[in-house]
Amino acid sequence: MNKKQLPNLTDLSLGLNVAAGFFVFTLIGYFIDQKRGEGHLGILLGMAIGLAYGGYEIWKLIRRQ
Amino acid sequence: MTNETVHEVAGQAHEQIAFMSPENTLVLLTWAVFFGLLIILNKFAWKPILAGLDQREEAIRQSVEKAEQIQREYEQLNQKRQQILDESYAQAKEIVAEARKGAQNAARVIEEKTKEETQIMIENAQREIQATVQRAREDLRKESVDLAIQLAGKLIEKNLDEKDHQKLVDDLVRKI
Amino acid sequence: MVFDFQNHIVHHMQNSYYWQLPFLPPVALPAPLTLHALMVIFAFFFLLILFCFFYKKNLPVPTGITNLLEAVVVFVRDDIAITSLGEKDGRRMTPLFCTFFFFILTLNVLGLIPLFATATSNVNVTGALAMVTFSFMVFGAIYKNGFKAFLRVLVPSGVPFPVLFLVVPLEFMGLFIRTFALMIRLFANMLGGHITIAVLIGLGVLFFGVITVPVVALVLMIYLIEVLIAFIQAYVFTLLSAMIIGQTYHPDH
């Protein structure tokens, strides 16, 4: 097998990394919410940071090309 | 999320562990088994396998190198052999050419010598012929003079003696 | 015949303190031991027997099982370890990746045998393995390159200075998230395959009739795909953990 033709697995796992990052940050926000006991700010902040992380990962991929 | 017990409606109670709940014993067991496998297999399996693979790769690489070296030496020897063959062929050709030239030279020399000798023989023969002719003429003259004197003596009826005979012959010869 | 669809799936998927064999009462496992833990111990002994007894050492020309195992080890060494970590580190870390590959492969394939369960469909097992990768990634890099150099990994090149205050925490979380994704990938693939098979079989039993035969055929096809996925997921886990370990051992700017 020609090594240059193998798919780059780090690029392929971008999707799962973005999704996992979003999920983890949202979870963190959820737990912060549970601790405070009231309001939904934690979850929303977590989602925002999760989206920012997703965008950062995609920016790194584009920058590499 | 803690371990929950799920009871089945129809019959036996099965203790199930809830979905996606953290079980610390399983995590510790997995770590223990993984590191145990890592250490034991490293000692008994990976090290010997990897060492054997390295040895085999080394042996193959060396034998390939040796084969290439032998190939190269063979090529060199082949070239040398070809060179020697070419040289000896050229030498043989030279020798033959020289021999031919020598033979031609010898032939020419012999030819020239033969020509010279023939020439000399011819000249000798010619000279002899001329000398013989001269002598023959001389003899003929002398005979004719003798005959003439005898005839004349007979005519004159005088007998000349030898000295007068000779003096008369010489005068006549001189005149002729 | 009452068929409890939900419990049927639950019995196949979840970890339990009982081991259910067909036509026999369920075997109660000793106290802290669960079914998936039992599978992990099975895999341990299976790998020990395979590599210590079935593998013949020092054959000039290997045949049979020896040849197969050596081919796989060469594959892990050349295509996984040396490609991601370079020549020297790759050779040094090959035992780790070989253990990863064979352990996860054995656990995956054990789950396909009818009486056994898939230990890797449990977050705890995959989480433990992902944590092993994480510790090699972080502590191995600190041991090898020093703490400062490890922190340098978190700072990507070509980023203007003020943006760094946003980027460095994201990079730091990225370490954890890559490991978490590793865990989720293996867990979800194994669990999903088995849930699909269990659901389809359940549907075949629930609506027993003409539809059962095509359902069984479909389930057989999915079963074959499961075998392929078992190998692929073991390979992907090993390769990706090699890559993320390589990213911290040799940060390429």
Side-chain angles (χ1 to χ4, degrees):
Chain A
M1 210 191 311
N2 193 353
K3 280 214 173 50
K4 291 193 186 65
Q5 289 169 356
L6 283 179
N8 193 349
L9 267 173
T10 2
D11 289 341
L12 278 184
S13 60
L14 177 75
L16 198 59
N17 279 337
V18 168
F22 182 78
F23 179 67
V24 162
F25 281 113
T26 314
L27 257 185
I28 294 178
Y30 174 71
F31 281 128
I32 293 181
D33 251 353
Q34 295 277 43
K35 243 194 185 167
R36 292 182 53 182
E38 47 121 25
H40 301 288
L41 186 60
I43 250 187
L44 288 174
L45 270 184
M47 279 186 180
I49 302 182
L51 286 174
Y53 176 74
Y56 175 61
E57 285 282 337
I58 296 178
W59 176 74
K60 273 204 298 192
L61 174 70
I62 294 179
R63 185 183 68 138
R64 237 189 292 141
Q65 289 179 355
Chain B
M1 295 191 236
T2 55
N3 287 350
E4 299 159 14
T5 323
V6 173
H7 291 277
E8 196 180 67
V9 170
Q12 308 153 308
H14 298 278
E15 289 227 7
Q16 301 269 337
I17 303 173
F19 186 61
M20 275 180 91
S21 66
E23 308 162 40
N24 301 326
T25 50
L26 188 53
V27 173
L28 289 173
L29 177 72
T30 309
W31 273 343
V33 161
F34 183 78
F35 283 110
L37 269 183
L38 184 60
I39 292 172
I40 298 180
L41 284 182
N42 193 21
K43 187 155 170 288
F44 289 109
W46 308 137
K47 278 225 172 71
I49 295 182
L50 292 173
L53 286 173
D54 280 340
Q55 223 179 29
R56 200 184 303 148
E57 279 174 15
E58 189 65 32
I60 288 178
R61 200 175 52 84
Q62 267 184 8
S63 74
V64 164
E65 255 185 40
K66 196 173 284 188
E68 280 184 1
Q69 194 190 20
I70 289 179
Q71 178 81 1
R72 257 180 284 136
E73 280 183 10
Y74 170 73
E75 284 290 317
Q76 259 184 10
L77 281 177
N78 215 9
Q79 253 184 14
K80 215 177 273 185
R81 182 178 72 101
Q82 194 62 28
Q83 224 179 13
I84 290 181
L85 268 180
D86 284 339
E87 272 180 13
S88 58
Y89 184 62
Q91 255 186 24
K93 260 175 43 175
E94 246 184 57
I95 289 177
V96 163
E98 268 191 32
R100 193 178 303 145
K101 234 193 301 178
Q104 279 180 350
N105 272 353
R108 209 173 350 111
V109 162
I110 290 178
E111 217 184 284
E112 282 182 356
K113 225 188 263 179
T114 322
K115 252 194 248 172
E116 272 181 28
E117 282 183 359
T118 334
Q119 199 77 350
I120 290 175
M121 265 182 10
I122 288 175
E123 284 180 358
N124 277 351
Q126 278 184 350
R127 238 183 288 130
E128 265 194 38
I129 289 174
Q130 274 192 2
T132 318
V133 159
Q134 195 80 342
R135 244 187 293 128
R137 272 212 194 114
E138 292 261 349
D139 278 347
L140 203 57
R141 273 197 205 119
K142 250 200 243 169
E143 286 278 333
S144 64
V145 162
D146 262 346
L147 268 177
I149 290 182
Q150 274 184 14
L151 273 175
K154 281 209 171 100
L155 283 177
I156 312 179
E157 285 178 347
K158 199 174 149 185
N159 249 359
L160 295 170
D161 39 63
E162 278 310 313
K163 244 175 48 185
D164 284 332
H165 185 107
Q166 198 61 33
K167 209 171 81 147
L168 214 56
V169 166
D170 285 337
D171 274 338
L172 274 174
V173 164
R174 242 187 287 123
K175 278 192 188 137
I176 301 171
Chain C
M1 183 175 72
V2 174
F3 177 64
D4 197 345
F5 191 55
Q6 179 185 3
N7 268 330
H8 155 78
I9 297 180
V10 154
H11 285 164
H12 276 93
M13 293 307 117
Q14 288 180 2
N15 205 358
S16 113
Y17 290 109
Y18 287 83
W19 189 12
Q20 297 192 307
L21 301 164
F23 311 119
L24 287 176
V27 176
L29 298 169
L33 203 64
T34 59
L35 180 60
H36 292 173
L38 189 63
M39 293 300 124
V40 168
I41 296 177
F42 268 160
F44 176 68
F45 285 114
F46 176 76
L47 280 175
L48 279 184
I49 292 176
L50 184 66
F51 276 100
C52 297
F53 292 113
F54 281 111
Y55 175 78
K56 305 204 173 4
K57 298 200 221 285
N58 295 330
L59 286 179
V61 178
T63 59
I65 297 252
T66 313
N67 199 8
L68 179 65
L69 292 177
E70 278 195 7
V72 178
V73 170
V74 165
F75 171 69
V76 172
R77 188 192 68 176
D78 286 341
D79 287 338
I80 296 182
I82 293 188
T83 329
S84 316
L85 287 167
E87 186 72 32
K88 191 167 90 73
D89 272 336
R91 282 184 196 266
R92 209 162 50 97
M93 306 281 286
T94 298
L96 174 73
F97 297 122
C98 280
T99 314
F100 261 133
F101 185 77
F102 280 105
F103 187 52
I104 296 176
L105 182 62
T106 312
L107 286 177
N108 289 350
V109 171
L110 267 183
L112 292 170
I113 301 175
L115 290 181
F116 296 128
T118 329
T120 34
S121 69
N122 191 332
V123 268
N124 301 290
V125 169
T126 53
L129 292 169
M131 277 193 264
V132 169
T133 304
F134 182 75
S135 55
F136 270 96
M137 175 170 83
V138 169
F139 302 117
I142 293 180
Y143 175 74
K144 189 168 123 70
N145 292 334
F147 191 63
K148 284 254 166 51
F150 172 70
L151 287 184
R152 285 239 162 270
V153 170
L154 298 178
V155 178
S157 60
V159 169
F161 187 67
V163 190
L164 273 186
F165 287 107
L166 280 176
V167 163
V168 170
L170 283 182
E171 272 289 335
F172 181 69
M173 287 305 292
L175 286 179
F176 293 94
I177 286 172
R178 276 194 281 272
T179 315
F180 181 73
L182 209 54
M183 165 180 105
I184 288 279
R185 185 183 294 112
L186 183 57
F187 159 70
N189 273 292
M190 287 302 115
L191 186 66
H194 286 277
I195 283 188
T196 311
I197 292 178
V199 163
L200 285 173
I201 291 276
L203 282 180
V205 170
L206 205 55
F207 301 113
F208 193 76
V210 182
I211 206 173
T212 309
V213 170
V215 162
V216 169
L218 180 63
V219 164
L220 278 176
M221 299 276 286
I222 296 184
Y223 212 85
L224 290 177
I225 296 179
E226 277 303 299
V227 177
L228 181 66
I229 288 191
F231 281 86
I232 289 180
Q233 285 306 315
Y235 166 68
V236 163
F237 189 97
T238 316
L239 181 60
L240 275 170
S241 70
M243 277 183 170
I244 61 180
I245 289 180
Q247 276 172 6
T248 49
Y249 276 25
H250 308 284
D252 37 21
H253 293 295

